[in-house]
Amino acid sequence: MAGSRGQKGGMGILGRGIYSLPEAARLTGLKPQRVREWFRGRIKTRIGGPVFRSDYPSVGGDRAVSFHDLIELYVAGQLRDAGVSLQSLRKVHKRLQSDLDTRHPFCRRELLTKDGRVFTLGLDDQGRDEMVEALTHQKVFADILLPFLTRIDYNEATAMAQRWCISDLVVVDPTICLGKPIVADVGIATAVLSASYEANDRDAELVADWFGVHAKHVIAAVEFERSMAA
């Protein structure tokens, strides 16, 4: 059994990222209500239980999610936008947990989608790339499908998501700053650079000099934080 199944409650947050549900909604661009429902279920009805279960236990009624939870949330949003129904989303997630032997199947590199269906990438008996439709296991060839998650970097050994290139020059890496957005290559939180910029007469060159980075890094941080606040 894959080790990711046994992570819940057994490990700390170090290297795994931590995000509140409102923060997860902000980063993924999803409505906060949808994020709450996907992790808590619909409180006013008996149907529609949680789609996902966080890696972290609830503390005092407050929930937090890990980097892999965040990526699954992002992927689920992309799948819904691609025409996958919520009912199918639930079924696909459950099926892929078994097929890929992982708690977080939407974090796997093999995931692709086309025409409202979800596929996983594999090899046929002759070693050729093929797609397997997640619910029916119907096979189609990979040359007619393209990955839609071009901004996610995957670990070569585990095939699991390890970094999200969320915006130009900005990444989300669970091993740095508890997974908060940082400027790529310099490892400084976008919130820090943006706040420094606003506090110093919006002088990008001055802030860049203080932090030993280029002005473009400061501007990237500022633009990203503004986009998240919009």
Side-chain angles (χ1 to χ4, degrees), residues 180-196:
K180 306 309 179 187
I182 60 171
V183 176
D185 301 326
V186 301
I188 302 174
T190 56
V192 171
L193 289 176
S194 181
S196 296

Side-chain angles (χ1 to χ4, degrees), residues 62-194:
D62 292 331
R63 290 185 182 274
V65 299
S66 70
F67 173 74
H68 281 159
D69 293 328
L70 180 71
I71 293 299
E72 289 217 294
L73 188 64
Y74 168 65
V75 171
Q78 296 295 312
L79 291 174
R80 291 289 283 122
D81 288 345
V84 178
S85 70
L86 185 58
Q87 181 180 14
S88 293
L89 190 71
R90 293 176 185 273
K91 292 180 179 179
V92 166
H93 190 263
K94 185 175 181 180
R95 170 64 68 85
L96 290 180
Q97 280 184 320
S98 176
D99 288 355
L100 299 178
D101 193 21
T102 179
R103 176 183 174 82
H104 296 291
F106 288 176
C107 288
R108 288 291 290 257
R109 177 173 51 199
E110 300 95 332
L111 193 68
L112 293 91
T113 185
K114 183 178 176 64
D115 298 332
R117 295 182 296 167
V118 181
F119 298 83
T120 54
L121 174 63
L123 298 176
D124 65 11
D125 294 338
Q126 286 73 47
R128 297 173 300 182
D129 287 339
E130 67 177 7
M131 293 288 103
V132 178
E133 204 276 326
L135 287 181
T136 66
H137 284 190
Q138 179 181 358
K139 297 180 179 180
V140 296
F141 287 104
D143 57 2
I144 66 170
L145 298 167
L146 292 174
F148 69 97
L149 297 177
T150 59
R151 288 186 171 269
I152 295 177
D153 294 335
Y154 297 89
N155 183 286
E156 289 296 325
T158 66
M160 294 290 285
Q162 66 178 5
R163 195 172 79 153
W164 180 12
C165 303
I166 192 171
S167 182
D168 290 343
L169 296 181
V170 177
V171 301
V172 174
D173 186 329
T175 67
I176 303 174
C177 295
L178 293 179
K180 306 309 179 187
I182 60 171
V183 176
D185 301 326
V186 301
I188 302 174
T190 56
V192 171
L193 289 176
S194 181

